[in-house]
Amino acid sequence: MPAFALALDTQTIAIAVALLIAAALLVALLARAGVGRRAPRPPSELPLPKPAERPQPPPPVAPAALPPERLAREQRAGEQLQSAQDALAAAEARLSRDAAARAEVDRRRREVSDAQRKLEYERRKIAEAEEKARREAETAARAKAEAEARAAEEARLAAERAAQEEARRKLAEAEAGRTLAEGLAKTRGGFMARINAFVGAAKELDDATLAELEEILFSADVGVRTATRLLDSVRERLKRRELSDVSRVKAALREEVERILSLGVAPGESGHGGLPDLPPGTPPPQVVMVVGVNGTGKTTTIGKLAARLEQAGKSVILGAGDTFRAAAGEQLDVWADRAGVPIVRGKDGSDPGAVLFDAVTRAKAEGIQVVLCDTAGRLHTKANLMEELKRLKRTLEKAHPGSPHEILLVVDATTGQNAIAQARQFHEALGVTGFVLAKLDGTAKGGVIIGICDELKIPVRYVGVGEKVADLKPFDPHEFVEALFS
Ligand code: GDP
């Protein structure tokens, strides 16, 4: 009996030792399975994967979405492990009662081990998929952030450019420009200086003195006819004994010049300065056809005028009717930009009539008040410029009956007598309604303005005394004579 008891004890101890070894093996296996995953728990306690527990990628990267079939495979592998573990536990329980269960225990252990590897594999795949999705999300987020930064930078640069342009425009508008007196400095230094010297000499007003005055007036670029007329008026006054001495001659000339420049408009009345308003009842837009030979300052005048009118609260559109010269359209574009007004341009060499027709049509459609039409000053073909301008005039009449309301001739003061000849030619062909004397600041030949007014009886709308917007001065005969004779 004691021998049986001893044998029993030995068998029990062997079973217990085997159980202990099996348990240790199981723990070791599970510990290995736990490496690389978050929960280092024994296999039986492995939680079934829950998507919510997956690590969230840091903001602003959006959480990576995993393919549902992969999650399902991981879940299935977890369940298979669980059932393999359950089967192993049952087999081991049987082994404690029945040594024949050993083979089954071994099989179940292999099954647990296989299920373990499968679960590890599925989890590794999930980790890889997560990592891949995270990287893709990061790349997408980075690309999005870069695109946003680029767009923000572009918007900032555009705003900066717009602000600079606006500042430039404001500056151009605010730039004081030259005064009329400054613009007339050269003319004053020319023929007016000679008149002053003549008057200062205080000689007798005899034939010799009058001959000297005649010579001065002939040299003053007012034209022979006007010089003669001025001299005649001095002689007349002499006869009427209105001029007692030479010093009165200057005042007499001044009065006569103002009378010529006023074209019969009483001092203080308007009639010269600036663009006249449309007569009441005339349907807008006001169409202004600007003519003149190349280089006189036509484009610059249109640009300055557009800026002036805009500043005065009028809406303006430019028609780039000089399609013969590529630079003319580009230059007008710059002015349109600077003045902040729209422009209608055609292709180089295209029909200028079509461009101006479009500009007038657009002004009508958009309720724009003034259309400033640039025109060619010289043609590349043999065609006659005046005939071309007449054709354009007819086109404008078609586009807007009653227009052009103003045919503004730009003449270059520096060309002196030529300016008068040009004015005559344009007037005969087109019926000029007003003129602009540009570049008065650059010449001593400012007297030409007196000749044009006297010969053609055309009102002066503006004088140009420089290249800034403020250098285009609405013409006022009294102010002009003051500045010239001061
Ligand atoms: P266009 O060919 O008739 O269109 O002439 P532009 O408008 O291109 O002018 C010819 C040149 O004269 C340009 O360099 C202008 O800047 C300049 N200009 C125009 N008006 C004046 C002005 O009143 N004073 C001065 N000093 N220059 C002017």
Side-chain angles (χ1 to χ4, degrees):
M1 191 67 182
F4 172 75
L6 191 66
L8 194 68
D9 270 346
T10 310
Q11 194 182 3
T12 310
I13 287 164
I15 290 169
V17 168
L19 275 175
L20 273 173
I21 290 168
L25 209 64
L26 200 61
V27 167
L29 275 172
L30 290 175
R32 246 180 73 200
V35 174
R37 290 293 291 161
R38 279 160 283 122
R41 300 187 209 163
S44 58
E45 289 179 42
L46 277 176
L48 287 177
K50 289 184 210 151
E53 287 179 5
R54 303 198 178 284
Q56 294 292 314
V61 179
L66 289 172
E69 65 278 4
R70 183 150 294 291
L71 294 174
R73 274 211 298 274
E74 189 200 21
Q75 178 155 359
R76 264 201 311 280
E79 283 163 2
Q80 279 165 5
L81 175 63
Q82 186 63 60
S83 57
Q85 284 166 341
D86 290 347
L88 174 62
E92 282 169 347
R94 267 200 307 285
L95 184 63
S96 60
R97 297 187 303 274
D98 177 6
R102 157 80 38 218
E104 192 191 348
V105 165
D106 290 344
R107 190 165 52 81
R108 294 292 182 202
R109 279 186 191 141
R110 278 195 300 279
E111 280 172 8
V112 165
S113 174
D114 287 348
Q116 200 79 54
R117 272 199 300 279
K118 195 169 172 199
L119 185 61
E120 275 174 45
Y121 171 81
E122 291 302 340
R123 285 182 171 166
R124 218 169 35 245
K125 282 292 178 198
I126 281 180
E128 282 169 9
E130 277 176 343
E131 179 59 17
K132 185 165 171 248
R134 190 187 60 75
R135 273 202 308 271
E136 280 169 359
E138 263 176 20
T139 307
R142 211 176 307 118
K144 189 167 168 244
E146 279 168 10
E148 278 169 1
R150 259 199 314 277
E153 179 62 6
E154 273 162 22
R156 190 188 66 74
L157 286 174
E160 204 173 279
R161 271 198 303 276
Q164 279 170 355
E165 188 47 47
E166 181 62 12
R168 252 201 309 278
R169 200 157 76 83
K170 288 241 169 71
L171 188 69
E173 285 164 8
E175 273 175 330
R178 294 195 178 97
T179 62
L180 190 59
E182 283 164 351
L184 280 169
K186 288 188 178 160
T187 300
R188 264 205 319 278
F191 105 95
M192 279 316 298
R194 292 191 67 191
I195 294 225
N196 284 333
F198 168 81
V199 172
K203 293 171 209 146
E204 284 291 301
L205 265 177
D206 51 22
D207 282 351
T209 339
L210 282 177
E212 194 184 331
L213 181 60
E214 187 175 26
E215 196 275 311
I216 295 173
L217 289 175
F218 278 14
S219 70
D221 279 287
V222 298
V224 177
R225 206 186 302 178
T226 306
T228 310
R229 179 181 166 148
L230 287 172
L231 197 71
D232 286 349
S233 95
V234 171
R235 283 210 182 95
E236 270 296 304
R237 288 179 185 224
L238 262 177
K239 258 194 233 155
R240 295 204 304 266
R241 303 196 176 282
E242 284 171 25
L243 299 180
S244 48
D245 57 59
V246 180
S247 63
R248 287 286 301 139
V249 169
K250 190 175 166 187
L253 282 174
R254 177 182 172 144
E255 274 172 32
E256 189 58 21
V257 167
E258 185 166 342
R259 212 178 56 72
I260 292 172
L261 294 178
S262 300
L263 295 175
V265 178
E269 270 184 44
S270 72
H272 284 266
L275 205 57
D277 288 332
L278 276 183
T282 311
Q286 181 175 24
V287 178
V288 181
M289 184 176 171
V290 186
V291 296
V293 300
N294 282 352
T296 50
K298 199 161 21 88
T299 314
T300 311
T301 298
I302 293 173
K304 291 178 196 170
L305 189 53
R308 275 198 83 94
L309 294 170
E310 270 286 315
Q311 281 164 33
K314 286 206 168 170
S315 50
V316 179
I317 188 167
L318 306 185
D322 185 358
T323 53
F324 298 95
R325 236 176 1 137
E330 282 158 24
Q331 197 185 344
L332 206 62
D333 241 348
V334 171
W335 271 106
D337 222 33
R338 197 168 164 201
V341 301
I343 180 169
V344 174
R345 267 188 78 179
K347 288 203 178 82
D348 292 340
S350 64
D351 176 14
V355 174
L356 297 186
F357 196 97
D358 281 357
V360 172
T361 308
R362 184 166 159 198
K364 279 169 145 180
E366 296 178 18
I368 295 172
Q369 292 163 296
V370 184
V371 189
L372 297 179
C373 304
D374 191 16
T375 59
R378 196 183 60 203
L379 301 181
H380 285 188
T381 59
K382 291 262 178 269
N384 181 293
L385 175 64
M386 293 306 156
E387 289 310 313
E388 171 69 11
L389 292 176
K390 280 187 206 169
R391 187 181 73 81
L392 281 185
K393 191 180 167 187
R394 287 195 297 273
T395 303
L396 290 173
E397 160 74 33
K398 257 186 239 150
H400 187 44
S403 81
H405 306 96
E406 177 88 1
I407 298 185
L408 203 57
L409 170 67
V410 181
V411 289
D412 177 345
T414 62
T415 60
Q417 290 297 293
N418 266 346
I420 300 182
Q422 264 170 33
R424 203 180 295 124
Q425 204 192 352
F426 275 90
H427 189 44
E428 278 167 15
L430 299 164
V432 172
T433 57
F435 75 93
V436 176
L437 190 71
K439 309 190 201 174
L440 204 54
D441 54 306
T443 182
K445 298 173 179 177
V448 71
I449 197 171
I450 308 165
I452 295 177
C453 280
D454 190 33
E455 283 202 31
L456 303 173
K457 307 285 185 278
I458 303 169
V460 187
R461 301 296 191 209
Y462 297 93
V463 290
V465 292
E467 294 174 75
K468 297 179 190 128
V469 167
D471 289 329
L472 187 72
K473 310 273 183 204
F475 182 72
D476 175 332
H478 184 69
E479 192 193 349
F480 187 85
V481 170
E482 286 271 301
L484 187 64
F485 281 80
S486 59

